[in-house]
Amino acid sequence: MRTVYICSPYRAADSAQLDRNIDYAQALTKQAIEAGLAPITPHLYMTQCLNEDKPEERAAGMAAGYILAQATAASSHTERLTSMQRNILQVDKEKSPLRYGNTLEG
């Protein structure tokens, strides 16, 4: 089973958009499992224990996510680059090729 780092939007302008972003990340995570992949979706769990509004906590979560991304194939599911995606683009492409799309393939 291959790992895949799921990178989808999290930050939002309002609570309704945040709920949609969380639902989307959960759906991508489920889709990855159903495709036979082992998904890593840190923004679903790191935001449960870190406060996105505190710069030092957000930076710590992003640094941890970057380490996780280095060990996986990255799959981006957004039309604009997020802070995390900019970090992923710095990852060695041979270790973690960045793929864009709306579906995950095994």
Side-chain angles (χ1 to χ4, degrees):
M1 185 177 278
R2 227 179 61 215
T3 58
V4 62
Y5 185 98
I6 305 293
C7 187
S8 63
Y10 181 79
R11 290 186 126 187
D14 56 43
S15 62
Q17 183 183 18
L18 180 60
D19 288 343
R20 284 191 304 275
N21 290 349
I22 291 169
D23 289 346
Y24 185 53
Q26 289 172 339
L28 290 171
T29 299
K30 182 177 180 181
Q31 183 182 2
I33 291 168
E34 290 171 349
L37 301 166
I40 299 171
T41 317
H43 56 293
L44 286 181
Y45 58 86
M46 287 193 196
T47 55
Q48 300 300 304
C49 59
L50 298 173
N51 186 336
E52 277 280 297
D53 295 326
K54 293 183 178 179
E56 66 280 358
E57 289 188 21
R58 184 170 192 273
M62 289 179 63
Y66 178 74
I67 297 299
L68 292 170
Q70 287 181 314
T72 65
S75 182
S76 172
H77 295 272
T78 184
E79 293 180 10
R80 63 181 170 74
L81 287 179
T82 64
S83 298
M84 190 69 240
Q85 287 171 305
R86 284 190 291 275
N87 284 342
I88 290 171
L89 289 173
Q90 297 171 20
V91 173
D92 177 352
K93 298 299 183 230
E94 291 199 14
K95 288 184 182 177
S96 181
L98 181 62
R99 298 182 321 182
Y100 288 91
N102 293 322
T103 62
L104 297 169
E105 298 157 2

